[in-house]
Amino acid sequence: MALKTPQEYLDDLRKMKIDLYMFGEKVENYADHPIIRPSINAMAMTYKLALDPEYEDIMTATSNLTGEKVNRFTHLHQSTEDLVKKVKMQRLLGQKTGCCFQRCVGMDAFNAVFNTTFEIDEAKGTKYHERFINYMKYVQEKDLAVDGCMTDARGDRSKGPGQQPDPDSYLHVVERREDGVVVRGCKLHQTGMINSHEILVMPNNTLKEDEKEWAICFAIPLDTPGMIYVYGRQSCDTRKLEGGDIDIGNKYFGGQEVMTIFNDVFVPWERVFMDGETEFSGMLVERFAGYHRQSYGGCKVGVGDTLIGAAKAIADYQGAGKASHVKDKIIEMCHLNETLYSCGIACSAEGRKTAAGNYLIDLLLANICKQNVTRFPYEIARLAQDLAGGYFVTMPSEQDFNHPEIGPLVKKYSASRAEVPVENRQRMLRLIENLTLGCAAVGYLTESMHGAGSPQAQRIMITRLVDLEHRKQLAETLCGIRENPDIDWK
Amino acid sequence: MALKTPQEYLDDLRKMKIDLYMFGEKVENYADHPIIRPSINAMAMTYKLALDPEYEDIMTATSNLTGEKVNRFTHLHQSTEDLVKKVKMQRLLGQKTGCCFQRCVGMDAFNAVFNTTFEIDEAKGTKYHERFINYMKYVQEKDLAVDGCMTDARGDRSKGPGQQPDPDSYLHVVERREDGVVVRGCKLHQTGMINSHEILVMPNNTLKEDEKEWAICFAIPLDTPGMIYVYGRQSCDTRKLEGGDIDIGNKYFGGQEVMTIFNDVFVPWERVFMDGETEFSGMLVERFAGYHRQSYGGCKVGVGDTLIGAAKAIADYQGAGKASHVKDKIIEMCHLNETLYSCGIACSAEGRKTAAGNYLIDLLLANICKQNVTRFPYEIARLAQDLAGGYFVTMPSEQDFNHPEIGPLVKKYSASRAEVPVENRQRMLRLIENLTLGCAAVGYLTESMHGAGSPQAQRIMITRLVDLEHRKQLAETLCGIRENPDIDWK
Amino acid sequence: MALKTPQEYLDDLRKMKIDLYMFGEKVENYADHPIIRPSINAMAMTYKLALDPEYEDIMTATSNLTGEKVNRFTHLHQSTEDLVKKVKMQRLLGQKTGCCFQRCVGMDAFNAVFNTTFEIDEAKGTKYHERFINYMKYVQEKDLAVDGCMTDARGDRSKGPGQQPDPDSYLHVVERREDGVVVRGCKLHQTGMINSHEILVMPNNTLKEDEKEWAICFAIPLDTPGMIYVYGRQSCDTRKLEGGDIDIGNKYFGGQEVMTIFNDVFVPWERVFMDGETEFSGMLVERFAGYHRQSYGGCKVGVGDTLIGAAKAIADYQGAGKASHVKDKIIEMCHLNETLYSCGIACSAEGRKTAAGNYLIDLLLANICKQNVTRFPYEIARLAQDLAGGYFVTMPSEQDFNHPEIGPLVKKYSASRAEVPVENRQRMLRLIENLTLGCAAVGYLTESMHGAGSPQAQRIMITRLVDLEHRKQLAETLCGIRENPDIDWK
Amino acid sequence: MALKTPQEYLDDLRKMKIDLYMFGEKVENYADHPIIRPSINAMAMTYKLALDPEYEDIMTATSNLTGEKVNRFTHLHQSTEDLVKKVKMQRLLGQKTGCCFQRCVGMDAFNAVFNTTFEIDEAKGTKYHERFINYMKYVQEKDLAVDGCMTDARGDRSKGPGQQPDPDSYLHVVERREDGVVVRGCKLHQTGMINSHEILVMPNNTLKEDEKEWAICFAIPLDTPGMIYVYGRQSCDTRKLEGGDIDIGNKYFGGQEVMTIFNDVFVPWERVFMDGETEFSGMLVERFAGYHRQSYGGCKVGVGDTLIGAAKAIADYQGAGKASHVKDKIIEMCHLNETLYSCGIACSAEGRKTAAGNYLIDLLLANICKQNVTRFPYEIARLAQDLAGGYFVTMPSEQDFNHPEIGPLVKKYSASRAEVPVENRQRMLRLIENLTLGCAAVGYLTESMHGAGSPQAQRIMITRLVDLEHRKQLAETLCGIRENPDIDWK
């Protein structure tokens, strides 16, 4: 069985040597760095739950490549049932971590690269698919965490890769050697980068014919020479350095965003899965984005569950849980959250088999799903702030609660219902702060907006995927502009 | 094969003698009455499309009772796939009719009564289920249209059936005879009543133990003695009497709402499927409502498709189709419409087998679906009115367009793009009026609000079906109030 | 004193001979036509209330031209207080009529033409302003109802007046004579046309230099030769012909929309207030639209008040008035309605004196006001439909309630709370139908969308009127891109 | 002239000795503490702009007490024009500081205490008003910053002051002495406390007759013995300690929230303005809340302006400024922001004179204003995050940009349009982070929700202030249930 334990996973990271910077300094032993560790813990949960018999059905699957049981995060979806279970797995992990757990990007990249390489090979006689199958076997056997990379630096947004003043604004091949290629560029907003073992890189967008050098897809280990990582800041990031366990809000888990620089990095041929096939870049991007837009119908719903739970808890603690407006707002939060879940389930249940054999979600409904994700979490967060009351942004620090002299006063005046320990209220308010303004808001709000493509990207896809002409004809038939061939009774 | 042609269906109705009133007069030959006929045409489409090979897969199914091919509207769902196909069938019919096509109520009642009677019999040793199977075989063999009836007159909404000043405010048994029961009462808002062959009556709500006489479920033919029908008014109903084919908006189809009075009506025992089992009234209501809330994720989406098509058409006709704000509003309409569809699909795909063997939707997600239906069609209609421009509420009548003298002037000043016939614009605007203010608005808007239960009914179900305590515990675990048993790595 | 009584006003109309068509027939004695009369009644209320001492302060004003007391609908606003009173007068009339009362268009045209002609004369040495003052004196002395006309037929919306295949798509001068001009064209969507005495015509949009023949502004009596009127249809219009007084919903009042054709109509010079000054067409349009967008912050609020009242009444009648969700929805309706009112008040209070001496509203805030009007009434109507329950779209006709045989049964099953007469419920439901789907919905919803300019028109104005560059500089100063000159302390 | 310079104000604070804690430590020289200083700078701007001739009209007023020119923040409003100018002053300061500038609370308290004490004295023959006038003269002469205090600790929200297990949950009198009273309790969420000179304390809510000891209103200097201050945490607060000037987002300004403990504090009689008059507690709370709800229609609009400016700037920097969806989203942000402003203006323009002579806003419209403030800033922030793109939550720290080795790479890959310095993009993104997730989000979002009362508080006021019965009668008149006395024409 190829399932790693969380401890093994963590030890893997401890062995890795990478070039990582944070706050202007080089970071050593990053696996134990207090700012980074919560994101490693979140990833570790994907290992932990796969070993838990309670969750076996949704956390693991039987590999179509090896017949072995694998972590579903490394699985190639073999049915719509698999697609649905993926969403359920993501909701579960969102519930268990209360944040972005970061292993989906790789899973979504696996599935998109798998069926796109198949179609490239079919059309062009290349061997990318076979290479990729070998790679996937390796990933499944080692139970690796792999980060999928798509978003380039992009420079001037009004210009494409080939027209940028700096050609490196989009990652591209700068040298071709007998044994492989050398690439240069930078992938931004990389969620779950330095808690992964490997990186799977894809092009950022549909490319024109003369942009072949940007049409590159490949995988490398994280510690490949030439890789430079710069850790991104998040709201309230340094609270993790303060030593307490209350003001951080989420005691264990968090996300991670890394600027990932490819400073002339060599990739051997067996790890190259696309090289110059610009006509397939759009397919790869669209499918990866589609899978990832589906993902948000699971993970953000799970985080939403924790935020709903936090809102319910704080209302109860403070003695407001039975007010009718409070109950109604909680219903509204649930309604919005389950609507997102419905979209995640629907695009999965309506999936279809690709030529390569793995399953693709319904692309239109996946875009609908993500479009709602750019809206509803913000409203859920607003309602959570409504129910929390204002103390989560005015409460004194953890240290003040513990101060020998004023601590007792601070506690006295922070008390709510007699039977609720003051510390519980304090902890719950900090969790709400974390989810709506702090570290986790980065994942729950801003990433919901921009991850897997900004709202306008989905709207463009929606126009392309909805058949307006057909709808127009329906209307024209009903009002008598067109013949109605169906009516034959008198 | 048990599939009726639309012509046979129509001829069935022509043979039926019923006690029907409209505008203070008794109606004879109702099947050819111009106000009623459009609703009969809509129902006829459920027969027509079932015979069309193109739609065979979604319009028909193999009966689990007889092994015969039956119209899906008479089918007992045998899988989640069946549930999904039901939604697709409804979307198709919404597209083809542009209105409520009225045959779903019966289908939803069939499935709810089927599995509820099974569970009553299991618990109480009664024989309702067997009776109901016999009834269903009859329905399937004859391919009957059956109207499900639930909503009582209800009198004072703050009081239950047993506390009403008038006990008839809720339909109930007034006499018990050896061969059956006599019932009295009234079912309001009966969509698709007098274009059906039969009526299947259910109780209106969860009943208390001393409300046994209201716990009655049965089926009777439409022309049973004692039945009185009063046709409900709809916005713009009398346009159908004007003789033209433009100002009616939808040239062929429409809905129907009928006050259905049971004026001491006898029901033989073999047609009684519940009689006094108050403790199962809640189950029956909840399941019927659940199925029907799912339905709205199909039918209203289909009508939405026609309205989106109409908005696109009119924008094109008037020369505004390429404006970026117009395109964006159409995307928004599609987004909302597909969100409803996603909810319809999700509650179906997440369905489960009942003890009786047929499939039930996921109740929570079906309520989520309906709750969205109480909102989004209104916004879609608002956007359609935005794109239409104001002429659909100020345009002269059809007769003015045809007037020998002023007709040419009216046409001259109603012209838009040179290549679009004036009449096309006129027809499309009337369709938009029909869908957003006229007859079809009754179904697309108000019925979306109240059909299958008003918004608050869903909110009550959502509270009951969401496990808030579990969500609270998730939050308490993350912020450190509860132990986190999952974390075992260091 | 120049105030007419409603009876005198009505008698004026009875004397007028005009060329009017409806349903393909010429209408004689239109003042007593049952479809038209409700709109005449609404206009009559503007006369009635001006004579009521209770409302004197807001319904009348002292003319700056004559020093006489005049109906505020003919007044040139002399202060921001006048602007605020205008809004209050409109709210009052919306409350009293429950519909569009149609006399605002003229008032808004008066004020816009007054200050635009002044600025034309200043710039070009013309005499339009003096002519217009004479005209206004006449209007005030006779207390005339005047309809302002702006919206042309417009043909292909992607082309301007000068590029239309049919030059008459926008009203224009077709002949210039010594004593005046001859005009041809058509004004669409004319609210309150044939219940007025006079027409004041303005160009439809900002014109280019070579579109001089479309830059025409003038006033004529309604019965001027060459004028042809075609009465527009409204949802449920023919209910007024049915003879009852319940199913019409609003027992007394309604709106009116008229296609107004200028079939080579002569206008004498003293009634011409702009002729070829294309460079002032934009100013006139923008100011008229501005005044009219302000208006909607009054009139629609008044109608909203009646709809809120109807929702409250029906909830009480049906026994649901105390449910917390019902109360909360009514609060939401009030909140939205008062937000509209706030916008109406704000653009008035922030008005400024024009060069001509009358007051202009704040144009930005007037556009904000109208933009909200394109949204909130739809949501208020949706909530009203929620609270009404579904019976207002399924209830039998008035005649069925009165039928000797089935009437008693219909009433029995339409009863709600014992102490509420069934007829009251019936009447209130019909009023809600009228306001959300019927005749009044035309004014409360669709006219709210398109009257005084469609939503996109306001958005274009908002961009033009908001200084984004200034806001950008504020941000650049705060984040340190620009110097902050204010900080001088240490 | 009584206007202080910002330097004098700052020097006042430097002289003050108070008992202040932060992060578990006592703070000395708080006026120069890097976490506190931005909030002092914001307050200093209220002094600075009052001295600027450009803003003299809106920043200053003539005192009705002394005839002297005073800072408008210490003024008692003498007209609706004053009320409108108040809102404009607040918008200006929001624009200039990009945060809560904290001096409004005192101004709103001044005006509420002024007219409430007058009415108490009228009713009870007390001398509070005279005392308060003396106090106000002192405040105006010294140009003091005074913090208004209302919100108590409140303990269990389901219980009132008199039923709390801990009577100190609401501030109350614990001892009555000849020369004054001793109070104990805690005011939470005190915005702008330790950058003020004085504190003006009011009761938290409508009190019952037996809750006299909580009916206390008084003023004391900040450095009164027994006062203990504990500085509240805010999202990203410690960024101010990092030494840079980019990652803080707003280079100069910020808010401040302080737990303010009255640990048996003595108040002399001449500073007591209410003592036991429970029947006036509701009036005081309602009026203070009303003034403060008006305030939010100014200050939050000003901050909204800076956020709109930031969104516009970042879109331009990144090359997306001309995309139609970007322009449309900016229009929407402006629309929402100006709607808030309209509400602020409307409740001011509709103000009325109180018995005491100063002006009170229209209470209903002030509550409408605030209710919108609990919604629109969240949507404006969501749209700003949409336009910003995701880099503001993934960007490396300021120190990484400056690192000798990797700095150049970080800058290379953070570049957008060639003509925009990378640092400008970096600064603007940090400002957006600050306003939507960081320190300023506390004021722009959460304070918009809860400051001046949580949303439900406004809804309760709206129900109380809207005359639903009148609206019901309007509807009943229109549909014929009531007589319509207005109609007298035939």
Side-chain angles (χ1 to χ4, degrees), chain C residues 4 9-10 12-14 16-18 30 36 39-40 43-44 46-47 101-107 110 135 143-149 190-200 220-223 229 256 258 260:
Chain C
K4 244 189 231 306
Y9 155 71
L10 184 52
D12 285 352
L13 296 192
R14 289 201 176 108
M16 195 107 63
K17 298 293 165 213
I18 61 172
Y30 68 91
I36 302 170
S39 66
I40 291 169
M43 185 76 89
T46 69
Y47 289 94
F101 40 88
Q102 310 154 63
R103 203 172 171 189
C104 313
V105 203
M107 167 176 53
F110 295 154
Y135 179 64
D143 197 6
L144 300 180
V146 178
D147 197 18
C149 283
Q190 292 312 312
T191 308
M193 173 54 64
I194 61 160
N195 45 2
S196 294
H197 302 88
E198 294 255 339
I199 313 174
L200 175 51
I220 51 172
L222 217 74
D223 53 3
Y229 304 95
Q256 172 196 111
V258 180
T260 302

Side-chain angles (χ1 to χ4, degrees), chain B residues 353-384:
Chain B
K353 197 171 187 169
T354 64
N358 70 339
Y359 272 67
L360 186 66
I361 65 295
D362 182 283
L363 278 179
L364 172 58
L365 299 188
N367 278 281
I368 298 300
C369 178
K370 176 66 212 310
Q371 183 77 184
N372 282 319
V373 172
T374 68
R375 300 174 177 183
F376 295 171
Y378 286 84
E379 177 63 5
I380 293 171
R382 193 185 73 86
L383 289 167

Side-chain angles (χ1 to χ4, degrees), chain C residues 74 110 134-144 146:
Chain C
T74 67
F110 295 154
N134 288 336
Y135 179 64
M136 280 310 302
K137 285 182 184 163
Y138 170 73
V139 166
Q140 291 182 344
E141 269 158 35
K142 303 280 184 190
D143 197 6
L144 300 180
V146 178

Side-chain angles (χ1 to χ4, degrees), chain B residues 14-67:
Chain B
R14 288 200 176 109
K15 282 174 216 143
M16 195 108 62
K17 298 292 164 215
I18 61 172
D19 221 10
L20 169 66
Y21 295 84
M22 190 195 302
F23 297 128
E25 290 178 11
K26 195 155 179 187
V27 180
E28 310 294 341
N29 189 17
Y30 67 91
D32 292 301
H33 190 291
I35 284 195
I36 303 170
R37 184 57 177 274
S39 67
I40 292 170
N41 284 342
M43 185 75 90
M45 278 297 268
T46 69
Y47 289 94
K48 172 69 184 175
L49 298 179
L51 297 168
D52 188 331
E54 187 182 347
Y55 304 120
E56 183 181 8
D57 181 50
I58 65 165
M59 289 299 306
T60 65
T62 302
S63 168
N64 62 307
L65 303 177
T66 64

